[in-house]
Amino acid sequence: MQMAASFLCICACLLASIIMGGHQTTALQSEKDALLRLKEGFGNPRSLVSWNLTVNVSPCKSWVGIICDINSSSVIGLSLTGFRDLAGRRISPDIADLHHLRSIELPNNGLIGTIPPGITNLSCLEHLDISGNALTGALPLLWGNLSRLVILNLSDNRISGTIPTGLVGAINLRVLRLENNHLSGHIPDSIVDLVPTLITFNVSYNHLVGQIPRGFSKKFNDYSAFEGNPFLCGKPLRMACATAMAQTLPQQDDTRNPMNRDPNRPSPGKRRSSHKGPIIIASVLGGTAFLLGLMILCIVFSRRRRHTEANGGGATRQVQNWFSPDIQADRRRGTYKVFSRGFNYSYDELVTNAGYFDTAHVIGKGRYATVYKSQLPDGTLVAVKVFKFSNVGLCYEKDMELLASIKHRNLLAIKGFYANPVEKAIFYNYVANGTLYDVFHGPKISRDTRDDVLPDWALRQKIALGIAQAMAYLHRGCGYKILHRDLKSTNILLDADYNPRVSDFGLIHLVSGRAEPVETLGYTAPEVLSGKKHTEKGDVYSYGVVLLELLTGQRAVAYIGERAVKLAEWVMRLHDEGRGREVFDPIVVGTCQLPEQLDRYLNLAVLCIDVNPSNRPSMAEIANILETQCSSASPLRSPDCKANNPLLSG
Ligand SMILES: *[C@@H]1O[C@H](CO)[C@@H](O)[C@H](O)[C@H]1NC(C)=O
Ligand SMILES: *[C@@H]1O[C@H](CO)[C@@H](O)[C@H](O)[C@H]1NC(C)=O
Ligand SMILES: *[C@@H]1O[C@H](CO)[C@@H](O)[C@H](O)[C@H]1NC(C)=O
Ligand SMILES: *[C@@H]1O[C@H](CO)[C@@H](O)[C@H](O)[C@H]1NC(C)=O
Ligand SMILES: *[C@@H]1O[C@H](CO)[C@@H](O)[C@H](O)[C@H]1NC(C)=O
Ligand SMILES: *[C@@H]1O[C@H](CO)[C@@H](O)[C@H](O)[C@H]1NC(C)=O
């Protein structure tokens, strides 16, 4: 009886151990499978040849870099350091299937791609070190399951995006190393909650902006933990925060010149115009011509206002409806000239089809003009640019004829113009894709959509070359020497195939009513700002800024609070520190297979924005350099390079 009982007991224990053993084997088996998939993601490198199924022993004994718990035989550690044959490979999401991991150490392997978000499901994780790789993309957002995490070391990667507020979920974090990455945005205030446990904290050499949360600066008072973020301010950095910090890149309006947008077009080209306040700072106002202009302007406007009020007012907040009886009378006395064959319409027809220039037809507003869209009976779309200031230069008609005679495939052709004493207008073709500014920064571009809709590197090369050729033609090729004087991304239109069309060349002095330059913040060359004449090298400077916009995806001016930071100065600073490669737009890096080619473009842009005008190359030289880049054997070669060659088109 006793024997039978003990036999039963032994059986039960055996059974239990068999069941338990079976369970352990399947758990380990699934971890083994996950590791093999991880190895496959690493490209089955030689260094991991021991990770195979042919050896009938546990990975815990014979696989390199694997640490197991002796009691449960589950994989609790993964440690692969400096395995150069992993370079250029990715961390497979299968890593998240290693549920028992306490430690992941993969530093200095040259890994690329993103951190698999599933890693934050590994609730046993205590130590995560993926430093010294080439990882890109945003950090995982949710860290709430990593309550045991003690070390998070992501230093020396190319990780972009912001510091996720979700990091506060890692309540036991002692080491947080994020230095030498491309992180942007603010340091989230909520991260201050981690300060009591944190011992090491480093966010130096990123692109962080704004104020360092106060809770940090008390405990982490070594400025080296924050240095290398040009837009970061507050203690312990020396740069004080002047004003309450706003976001780094506010919607700035600007004198966009969108004779181009169709509010009903549902493509990436569709960008509603939004105008929140001019970024233009007119330099010192002066000159009798300008004062005279103001006086005429006042008279004209008061005349108009009286007129509108007589008609019941109400419309004063709207864009002026120019089609009023006194203007009709004036209109008959005006000059209407057409330069484009087949453009057989009267000015009245253009005005009628632009809804008598009412607000619904406005497609853009600039410093000096409002642009209306007009659709003609045959379906032709036209952009009509109507000047706000009717006191445009005395030689307006002659100048317009000259400007209209300049034709190049990358210049926006003037189809015709109209002028009378109170009203001046220019007609252009309507261009499908909006301005370069809109394409990069229009309201449809958000952090989430930009990767899908922004032009890739090949398209940006094409745009850069087209603009350079147009500018070279203006400066040297057209028989005259014409300075643009106001080159900027809002003056560059893109057609349906992203061919650039430079517009508004030579117009600014016609419409500003004076010869001295007017500053366009971010684009105007330093020597012009200090009062010297605008030469062709001034245009080259502006071109350099446009080229930087294409390379970095950033606006020409960013704001920190009320402080304006110029893109040109920011890039110059990083370039001088040997950190030029950090400025590139991730889309550019991701779609360009030749990093040295990007270096050449950046060097060229930096040369264009040299403070010394005589160091800047000419536009013809720039076009030539870009063209040879294009035609050198490269997988990025844009198919349009050859077609871009002839400067002059019909
Ligand atoms: C499996 O690993 C052993 C070393 O552990 C190695 O000798 C063998 O070549 C490997 N087999 C395969 C098919 O990779
Ligand atoms: C294994 O079990 C022993 C005894 O239960 C325990 O002392 C030891 O800490 C365990 N080892 C691990 C790695 O959990
Ligand atoms: C985390 O685990 C849950 C449940 O297993 C799963 O639904 C979720 O997709 C996982 N998260 C990630 C980012 O893999
Ligand atoms: C973090 O990574 C860096 C670079 O690989 C290394 O030097 C450092 O020892 C790591 N620190 C910790 C605490 O893991
Ligand atoms: C924690 O993990 C579970 C599944 O394992 C998942 O459903 C949950 O979303 C995670 N929570 C956080 C805050 O990450
Ligand atoms: C932060 O990281 C930078 C760059 O690696 C280093 O120079 C600096 O000494 C670190 N500072 C602290 C406080 O860890």
Side-chain angles (χ1 to χ4, degrees):
M1 192 63 197
Q2 213 182 346
M3 252 184 71
S6 71
F7 177 74
L8 262 181
C9 177
I10 290 166
C11 275
C13 291
L14 263 177
L15 199 64
S17 79
I18 287 167
I19 291 168
M20 265 185 69
H23 174 74
Q24 279 175 14
T25 351
T26 48
L28 188 59
Q29 186 58 48
S30 79
E31 289 179 338
K32 212 164 154 178
D33 291 345
L35 285 168
L36 287 171
R37 291 196 302 273
L38 194 60
K39 173 185 170 184
E40 206 175 311
F42 286 150
N44 295 318
R46 286 188 58 82
S47 58
L48 298 185
V49 73
S50 62
W51 292 21
N52 66 41
L53 282 171
T54 59
V55 189
N56 203 12
V57 271
S58 151
C60 301
K61 302 232 166 68
S62 60
W63 289 18
V64 68
I66 303 296
I67 301 149
C68 291
D69 181 332
I70 348 162
N71 299 334
S72 67
S73 296
S74 53
V75 176
I76 57 166
L78 181 61
S79 175
L80 306 170
T81 301
F83 284 26
R84 297 314 300 182
D85 59 354
L86 301 191
R89 303 297 181 167
R90 292 162 197 273
I91 305 171
S92 150
D94 296 299
I95 197 169
D97 293 338
L98 298 163
H99 300 291
H100 302 101
L101 279 178
R102 292 181 204 164
S103 163
I104 298 175
E105 289 175 82
L106 298 170
N108 304 320
N109 292 312
L111 295 168
I112 62 163
T114 55
I115 300 173
I119 242 174
T120 59
N121 263 355
L122 298 173
S123 55
C124 304
L125 207 57
E126 293 164 11
H127 183 166
L128 178 56
D129 181 352
I130 333 181
S131 60
N133 286 294
L135 299 172
T136 52
L139 294 180
L141 298 176
L142 303 173
W143 294 77
N145 283 331
L146 297 188
S147 56
R148 301 195 184 173
L149 191 66
V150 175
I151 295 174
L152 179 58
N153 191 350
L154 305 178
S155 59
D156 300 285
N157 276 291
R158 296 177 194 155
I159 300 169
S160 55
T162 54
I163 300 176
T165 52
L167 261 183
V168 290
I171 50 175
N172 281 307
L173 207 58
R174 285 158 170 256
V175 174
L176 179 55
R177 295 189 55 171
L178 301 174
E179 72 265 24
N180 293 316
N181 280 300
H182 294 180
L183 295 170
S184 55
H186 290 73
I187 301 175
D189 284 335
S190 57
I191 300 289
V192 169
D193 293 353
L194 291 174
V195 167
T197 52
L198 277 181
I199 294 163
T200 302
F201 175 78
N202 201 332
V203 291
S204 60
Y205 298 96
N206 279 290
H207 304 312
L208 297 170
V209 302
Q211 187 152 21
I212 297 167
R214 286 185 212 291
F216 270 101
S217 45
K218 267 190 215 127
K219 183 160 176 183
F220 299 100
N221 50 16
D222 181 348
Y223 81 95
S224 75
F226 300 93
E227 71 185 329
N229 293 283
F231 297 166
L232 200 61
C233 64
K235 281 180 184 162
L237 292 175
R238 267 171 239 122
M239 187 168 102
C241 301
T243 53
M245 287 298 150
Q247 68 279 60
T248 154
L249 299 168
Q251 291 278 323
Q252 45 179 302
D253 159 67
D254 59 314
T255 51
R256 46 184 70 205
N257 164 12
M259 45 200 62
N260 36 52
R261 289 183 232 113
D262 179 345
N264 303 314
R265 206 164 154 274
S267 75
K270 179 190 165 186
R271 309 270 134 75
R272 271 189 323 103
S273 54
S274 69
H275 310 285
K276 298 203 176 118
I279 60 160
I280 305 308
I281 300 169
S283 54
V284 190
L285 304 178
T288 41
F290 187 71
L291 285 178
L292 194 66
L294 272 182
M295 279 164 63
I296 296 174
L297 199 72
C298 291
I299 293 167
V300 169
F301 270 109
S302 61
R303 235 175 104 199
R304 290 250 167 75
R305 160 144 329 147
R306 252 184 281 125
H307 180 77
T308 342
E309 279 164 4
N311 280 306
T316 37
R317 305 184 103 222
Q318 289 198 334
V319 168
Q320 184 78 42
N321 181 345
W322 295 77
F323 195 74
S324 46
D326 51 346
I327 292 177
Q328 285 188 57
D330 286 326
R331 184 169 286 146
R332 276 175 223 116
R333 279 183 267 128
T335 318
Y336 174 61
K337 264 217 170 91
V338 161
F339 304 106
S340 182
R341 245 179 283 147
F343 192 65
N344 300 321
Y345 300 96
S346 71
Y347 186 57
D348 277 345
E349 271 175 296
L350 288 166
V351 173
T352 312
N353 287 307
Y356 300 112
F357 294 159
D358 72 7
T359 33
H361 287 256
V362 172
I363 51 174
K365 273 193 225 174
R367 220 182 316 186
Y368 301 111
T370 302
V371 184
Y372 301 86
K373 184 180 161 190
S374 183
Q375 178 163 27
L376 301 173
D378 70 352
T380 315
L381 290 175
V382 184
V384 185
K385 181 169 211 160
V386 180
F387 290 101
K388 289 177 187 161
F389 301 158
S390 50
N391 65 314
V392 291
L394 289 175
C395 306
Y396 175 79
E397 287 178 31
K398 277 217 143 49
D399 287 340
M400 286 317 299
E401 274 174 36
L402 168 70
L403 293 179
S405 73
I406 296 163
K407 295 222 159 64
H408 181 273
R409 66 191 300 276
N410 295 118
L411 290 175
L412 186 66
I414 295 174
K415 286 176 96 82
F417 76 82
Y418 173 80
N420 73 36
V422 295
E423 191 175 24
K424 305 265 187 293
I426 305 181
F427 317 112
Y428 299 94
N429 278 337
Y430 180 89
V431 181
N433 247 335
T435 67
L436 184 60
Y437 180 91
D438 290 326
V439 166
F440 277 83
H441 311 296
K444 283 200 116 178
I445 305 299
S446 67
R447 197 192 295 282
D448 301 328
T449 61
R450 68 187 298 279
D451 289 17
D452 302 328
V453 296
L454 289 192
D456 64 6
W457 174 234
L459 276 182
R460 295 187 201 197
Q461 280 181 292
K462 173 164 110 170
I463 296 168
L465 176 64
I467 301 167
Q469 290 180 329
M471 293 300 297
Y473 182 69
L474 278 182
H475 284 180
R476 303 280 171 86
C478 60
Y480 309 97
K481 179 171 156 185
I482 290 174
L483 299 182
H484 190 298
R485 292 170 190 271
D486 199 20
L487 185 65
K488 56 186 176 182
S489 56
T490 51
N491 273 343
I492 296 159
L493 303 167
L494 296 174
D495 73 9
D497 299 322
Y498 289 91
N499 292 305
R501 302 244 198 279
V502 176
S503 81
D504 275 20
F505 44 96
L507 272 189
I508 194 156
H509 76 283
L510 276 185
V511 295
S512 71
R514 58 217 170 93
E516 326 84 271
V518 180
E519 180 181 5
T520 300
L521 193 60
Y523 293 96
T524 306
E527 75 276 7
V528 178
L529 288 180
S530 66
K532 296 218 173 66
K533 239 179 89 184
H534 186 112
T535 65
E536 59 184 88
K537 293 301 177 72
D539 279 353
V540 171
Y541 184 93
S542 309
Y543 176 81
V545 177
V546 172
L547 190 54
L548 288 179
E549 288 181 81
L550 289 169
L551 289 170
T552 65
Q554 302 284 1
R555 292 176 171 88
V557 181
Y559 286 91
I560 297 179
E562 283 158 19
R563 196 164 73 94
V565 179
K566 295 178 184 172
L567 176 63
E569 288 171 7
W570 176 66
V571 170
M572 196 65 111
R573 180 156 39 163
L574 287 183
H575 186 264
D576 288 351
E577 289 173 13
R579 297 168 60 197
R581 284 192 174 183
E582 293 177 25
V583 307
F584 294 125
D585 186 341
I587 296 176
V588 165
V589 176
T591 54
C592 173
Q593 274 113 54
L594 301 171
E596 320 78 54
Q597 188 181 44
L598 293 183
D599 294 344
R600 288 201 293 272
Y601 271 79
L602 183 64
N603 288 340
L604 179 63
V606 165
L607 207 56
C608 292
I609 57 170
D610 197 295
V611 282
N612 183 351
S614 56
N615 288 348
R616 296 176 204 151
S618 72
M619 282 312 312
E621 285 165 336
I622 294 167
N624 191 30
I625 292 168
L626 292 180
E627 211 168 2
T628 34
Q629 301 261 8
C630 256
S631 57
S632 71
S634 116
L636 304 162
R637 177 171 172 179
S638 116
D640 202 40
C641 283
K642 278 271 164 353
N644 262 336
N645 219 342
L647 277 179
L648 193 58
S649 79

